[in-house]
Amino acid sequence: MDLNTVWFALIAVLFVGFFFLEGFDYGVGVLHPFMSKDDKKRRVTINTIGTFWDGNEVWVLTAGGAMFAAFPHWYATMFSGFYMALVLLLLALIVRGVSFEFRSKDANPKWRSLWDWMLFVGSAVPALLWGVAVANLIRGVPIDANMNYVGGFFNLLNPYALLGGLMTLSLFTYHGALFLTLKTTDDILVKAQSIAQKLWLPTTILVFAFVIAGYFATDMFTRLGANPGVVPIIAGLALLLSGWFVKIRRSGLAFTMTGITLAASVVTVFIGLFPRVLVSSLNDAWSLTIYNASSSPYTLKIMTIIAVIFVPIVLVYQGWTYWMFRKRVSVNSELEY
Amino acid sequence: MDALLLARCQFAVTTVYHFFFVPLTLGLSILVAIMETIYVKTGNEAYKRMAKFWGVLFLINFAMGVVTGIVQEFQFGMNWSEYSRFVGDIFGAPLAIEALLAFFLESTFLGVWIFGWNRLSPKMHAASMWIVAFGSNLSALWILIANSFMQQPVGYTIRNGRAEMIDFFALLKNGHVWVQFPHVFFAGICTAAFFVIGISAYHLMKKSDDRFVWQQSMKIGTIYGAIGVILVMLIGHSQAQYMMKVQPMKMAAAEALWESENPAAMSLFTIGNEKKREDVFALKVPGLLSFLAYNRFSGEVKGINQLQMEYEESHGPANYVPPVAISYWTFRIMVGAGMVMLLLIVFLLVALFRNKFDFKPIVFGVLLWAIALPYLANTTGWIFTEIARQPWAVFGVLRTEAAVSPSVSGGAVLLSLVLFTLVYGALMVADIYLLRKHALAGTAKLNFHE
């Protein structure tokens, strides 16, 4: 395996981490205004991700940095091409990030309600936009011979992409509800369970609709072939199984299943793209690949050494914090946010 | 307005705004860690209250720094795609390393610090703030390694129509990093010191409860500020001498030195005509600029006209002169703010020596407003260093107009600039409201949910 492939795989790993971790963060953010009207209980919801959200968000920052370092043309074409979508994403992430801190620092109910909705919008918009981005990635976007996107903003909002957006929004929210069933107690737990149960069917329908629409809108099926391999099948099966586990109240297993669905879906997308990183809808030859978009072998080598050393260290200490703060959160816990 | 100018405006707005929050994070993280360490060593609860009180203000500020930092990571690709293509082989690496080594560390352990008061041993808890401080400053180091490549490109060759890295360690050993990073690091210490001094001064003036906390904060802030101000100025001086060699045009613009002089005089106050490149009115100290540049009262300092001719010879005909008035005044405001900080610190050191911090209300008032001084210096410092590098994005290698995204229209940038400005403006109001509220509340109500 050459270093270009290694970095393609590593960026896939970063996106797996991001979708898995920020997936439930976004989900909790979307759900929290609906979990309770009581401030203390809302705080319980927020505090379930209070310790982790910031560290989780770094996964996407690192993925962005890795794209820049390993595939500068991918970074340049995609970020300038998806310009307005990224502006919206950034604005959402900005208000979302401060809302954790700001909300807790003033007890005025109006103030808190304001930041509750900021957290909601700041979580829902990215959850939607990531699906739009993924759908456009696999569908292909108009990229010219000079690697420049020539589409405009509304080109990104095609029906297939919007379906993708609804799918990730729904999937993240479902994943978030399952996370809450693992991290809360009493009536908040019951509420989270009932929400998870209600979200399973629409989420499953949206995911399968997106897969079927993908048959018409993308070349994923022809690329994956008649035998798509185990990964996408695992993604689908895990999603179906999660519904069963929710029903029998096996929260841990249900959450593991949505985690597997998210991870396997991201891997499927990357397998389907390989070796391309941005598909040109104008001309196959104009697509960006891990070869024509990459950094020099020297830079890739340096970055590989650094990643091999530091990615495991990050995994260890982030894992440690999850272990450290593994206890369920209740109204009797010390709530910092 | 054209797309290039709008993109530059947006970069200026988002970056200057981001750097309102960063220096306080850099400096205050260390200070809170020091306070908590004193608490762990002595068991004195007052230091715990102190660490918690400054910790709350730290958190409010930190959140703003983090979220505005996400924009920094993405906007090179968004607005400067040609730049990203041209230097991505080099510039992307420190950004990715910054995220992997530093962002993960600071954000993960900040979560541990916030939630760990009763779940970790006191030692481990204090250690987590040290890790946050280490992570924050490490992230500053990597971003300045990236910025230093723009100021003084090293370790690269032009190949395949772009700049490619040939020596990673040259990026780390770049002399520019090692004058710029300490300057920024100690600027962070100044910012935190004056923040702590100003708010402590307010509570001492108002005779707030918990006098011990304010008095000790004042002492710690004074010592911390003395270290910060003296070193930021000394290092700033050697940085300026370094820039004389690396980017002489930047320093000529800083001094509005139109023609080469030997010995060169330093301008105290100049009103110039930028178009004609001449002084309208100037007050100068003979020989002083030569002295500042070379530590002796003679030696040629090259002027703007001379340098323009030299660059035309080496890089072809074009305008190589940065906006002189902005360079000249931002440089002077930065240095001037540093001078005032130094005076205040000397005054406070005398008070510390006498162990008496009981001043007249007007003095307390001055100390409170002095919180603004490091912010003024930080902002003008960055505007100076980026503006006076123009017309280059990467000095001597890539011009700014060649760096902008060709696929992003002026209208799109205008819309995003308006949106960023509105959201940033609103958040600044909320941020200052919260900082003020918690700064004034003192240590009595550290549980703010009631």
Side-chain angles (χ1 to χ4, degrees), chain B residues 48 66 74 79 110 122 140 159 167 171 177 189 214 217 234 279 290 292-293 308 310 321 349 352 372 396 408 423 430:
Chain B
K48 186 179 184 182
V66 167
F74 286 9
N79 293 93
L110 190 70
R159 196 159 51 198
D167 185 358
L171 293 180
V177 174
I189 287 182
W214 310 122
S217 294
L234 287 177
D279 291 345
S290 289
L292 288 172
Q308 167 70 22
E310 285 181 16
V321 183
L349 280 172
L352 176 75
V408 179
V423 171

Side-chain angles (χ1 to χ4, degrees), chain B residues 166-235:
Chain B
I166 50 170
D167 185 358
F168 177 67
F169 297 97
L171 293 180
L172 310 189
K173 286 187 291 191
N174 188 347
H176 193 274
V177 174
W178 300 105
V179 287
Q180 192 184 31
F181 173 67
H183 191 59
V184 168
F185 176 79
F186 288 108
I189 287 182
C190 290
T191 310
F194 275 87
F195 188 78
V196 168
I197 289 168
I199 293 166
S200 303
Y202 171 85
H203 285 290
L204 288 171
M205 175 174 73
K206 291 284 174 189
K207 304 205 180 336
S208 305
D209 293 343
D210 223 349
R211 188 175 171 78
F212 179 79
V213 164
W214 310 122
Q215 206 137 21
Q216 290 309 103
S217 294
M218 198 75 173
K219 279 185 196 167
I220 294 172
T222 300
I223 297 166
Y224 202 59
I227 297 168
V229 168
I230 291 167
L231 287 174
V232 85
M233 292 185 102
L234 287 177
I235 292 160

Side-chain angles (χ1 to χ4, degrees), chain A residues 191-265:
Chain A
K191 180 104 182 184
Q193 273 169 342
S194 97
I195 289 177
Q197 210 159 351
K198 280 184 203 140
L199 281 174
W200 173 76
L201 186 63
T203 303
T204 306
I205 292 172
L206 281 167
V207 169
F208 282 95
F210 183 74
V211 172
I212 293 163
Y215 179 78
F216 302 101
T218 76
D219 63 1
M220 287 285 125
F221 281 80
T222 43
R223 293 185 72 87
L224 294 172
N227 174 8
V230 285
V231 183
I233 293 171
I234 287 177
L237 276 181
L239 184 60
L240 294 174
L241 275 175
S242 75
W244 170 251
F245 287 126
V246 170
K247 215 175 152 100
I248 61 167
R249 296 280 182 268
R250 297 293 299 270
S251 302
L253 284 170
F255 178 72
T256 310
M257 289 303 129
T258 51
I260 290 173
T261 302
L262 284 165
S265 305

